[in-house]
Amino acid sequence: MESRTLVELRNVAKSYGGTEVLHGVDLAVQDGEFMTVLGPSGSGKTTILRLIGGLVRPTSGQVLLDGADISAMPINRRPFNTVFQDYALFPHMNVEANVAYGLRVRGVPRAETRRRVAETLRLVALEGFGARYPAQLSGGQQQRVALARAIICQPRLILLDEPLGALDAELRRQMQRFLKQIQREIKTTFLFVTHDQEEAVTVADRICVMNAGRIEQIGSPQEVYYRPASEYVARFFGDNNLVEATAAGGDLFATPVGTFRAAMDGAGPPAGTRGRLLVRPEAIALGEDGAARNRLRVRVEEANFVGPVSQVRVSAVAKPDLMLMVKLPSRASGLPVAPGSETEASWSERECHFVPA
């Protein structure tokens, strides 16, 4: 079924005083998708959420809902709800009252409110917790109450402002899976703001990568990870090896340590185009492999065990200051390679991507 745009930012800029924090942003959120806006502090990601939610208005440009301009629409008329990082629960109300609050404000009859609260608490796995107060709940349980309060009024869009930031690592992973499961069940559009790349990959259908008030790339987690649109995305989104390169025609690229092939979506950049070749650490193999199209003689400088993988740092024999990071499966018998040894690093052209400067 063809996707339909629910919310759109069209050439939106936002300034505070003399500081412009968003620069002509265009963003379309599709109905029913889980979109993540990813970026470091100060990149403009939370400003996007606040603009859509109606907490601030754009300096220029439009915020659209179903194609209609809602830039000036008051926050209480927008069919959206927000889940905040600090949960924003009412401490003097029990769980049932917190979840029911939006329905009571709307004047929903008591019997209908009780039915929907019970149904929503079952959905977020908090059945039997209705009489407890926020102070009697764990961080993860409080977050689920906040989510229940957001979804019970059946909004068109749920805005999530770094909602898992206060949780410990294992609980965050559990809540990431839980959020994705809930979103699929209720089929409501989620717009999720985070600075955590792993979190973005876990939950998102599409990722919007922000940098200094501009969108660097929008795509699926696989597209952003394996085909970054810029050097910034390549550096920000996971580990990457970047090697200076110049297009030599077709899929060939000249580097300080030889000529390598890279996957091309089309004809490739014009000869002489400068940029970098990107290769993920897990895409590099170590050992003699005559079948590999891209090969480089290297010396193992360092190898560290980090659980299921070992991180290996190698230098090019022909240019010792060119360093590559390699991730190899760990072995129970010890490190997969010995520091100080020479070997061959190889990778497929399919795992090699060129980004123009």
Side-chain angles (χ1 to χ4, degrees):
M1 187 172 63
E2 188 175 340
S3 60
R4 181 175 64 87
T5 299
L6 176 66
V7 173
E8 184 178 0
L9 299 185
R10 189 174 292 174
N11 196 28
V12 167
K14 179 61 184 175
S15 298
Y16 293 99
T19 304
E20 190 172 13
V21 296
L22 283 185
H23 311 275
V25 166
D26 293 304
L27 174 65
V29 181
Q30 303 304 308
D31 193 18
E33 80 170 330
F34 199 131
M35 170 167 273
T36 295
V37 181
L38 172 69
S41 297
S43 62
K45 59 187 187 296
T46 297
T47 301
I48 285 178
L49 185 142
R50 290 168 63 83
L51 282 162
I52 292 173
L55 295 169
V56 297
R57 293 187 181 182
T59 304
S60 61
Q62 296 176 301
V63 180
L64 306 174
L65 171 64
D66 294 328
D69 190 348
I70 62 167
S71 303
M73 180 182 288
I75 184 172
N76 62 322
R77 290 184 54 205
R78 301 189 186 203
F80 312 145
N81 273 341
T82 303
V83 179
F84 298 100
Q85 180 175 338
D86 62 358
Y87 318 137
L89 301 177
F90 299 116
H92 63 287
M93 294 184 182
N94 63 21
V95 168
E96 184 178 287
N98 265 283
V99 175
Y101 181 78
L103 297 182
R104 288 177 178 157
V105 167
R106 289 164 173 79
V108 176
R110 287 186 179 181
E112 173 69 5
T113 295
R114 284 196 297 270
R115 184 189 67 79
R116 286 171 63 176
V117 167
E119 182 180 278
T120 305
L121 289 178
R122 280 196 298 273
L123 184 65
V124 299
L126 286 176
E127 194 173 12
F129 285 74
R132 296 193 190 184
Y133 287 82
Q136 298 172 306
L137 303 175
S138 69
Q141 289 167 341
Q142 289 183 53
Q143 190 57 268
R144 281 183 277 158
V145 174
L147 180 62
R149 190 175 59 185
I151 67 180
I152 195 168
C153 294
Q154 300 171 335
R156 302 281 306 282
L157 171 68
I158 294 179
L159 304 165
L160 301 109
D161 187 10
E162 305 226 27
L164 310 183
L167 305 179
D168 62 57
E170 179 55 33
L171 190 51
R172 282 184 75 154
R173 284 191 287 270
Q174 293 175 14
M175 283 299 299
Q176 288 162 14
R177 294 191 293 269
F178 183 74
L179 279 176
K180 188 64 179 174
Q181 174 189 335
I182 290 293
Q183 193 266 339
R184 285 174 175 161
E185 272 192 56
I186 66 177
K187 298 180 173 60
T188 299
T189 308
F190 278 27
L191 183 64
F192 184 96
V193 166
T194 183
H195 64 274
D196 188 302
Q197 300 96 324
E198 182 181 336
E199 192 164 86
V201 169
T202 302
V203 301
D205 297 320
R206 286 193 304 151
I207 297 172
C208 169
V209 184
M210 298 292 298
N211 175 28
R214 292 182 170 86
I215 294 175
E216 289 277 341
Q217 185 174 0
I218 300 174
S220 69
Q222 293 84 355
E223 288 168 342
V224 175
Y225 187 83
Y226 288 110
R227 292 288 180 266
S230 67
E231 185 175 329
Y232 172 84
V233 177
R235 291 186 181 277
F236 180 72
F237 203 81
D239 297 327
N240 224 326
N241 293 298
L242 295 91
V243 180
E244 291 183 5
T246 303
D251 63 350
L252 294 174
F253 296 87
T255 78
V257 288
T259 299
F260 301 108
R261 294 182 182 274
M264 291 288 104
D265 295 328
T273 302
R274 298 178 64 82
R276 293 181 186 270
L277 288 179
L278 316 178
V279 187
R280 293 286 180 185
E282 64 272 17
I284 300 176
L286 294 181
E288 309 300 329
D289 183 2
R293 303 290 292 275
N294 295 319
R295 300 195 297 274
L296 176 67
R297 199 73 191 169
V298 297
R299 178 177 292 105
V300 178
E301 301 291 343
E302 186 180 6
N304 295 303
F305 172 79
V306 286
V309 299
S310 290
Q311 294 183 348
V312 182
R313 195 164 58 93
V314 300
S315 62
V317 171
K319 187 176 171 55
D321 62 338
L322 193 155
M323 308 294 295
L324 298 177
M325 176 63 71
V326 183
K327 292 183 179 179
L328 301 175
S330 294
R331 298 173 180 169
S333 58
L335 294 170
V337 289
S341 61
E342 274 195 23
T343 185
E344 195 169 67
S346 61
W347 60 93
S348 164
E349 63 268 30
R350 295 188 304 275
E351 306 282 0
C352 190
H353 181 57
F354 178 74
V355 176

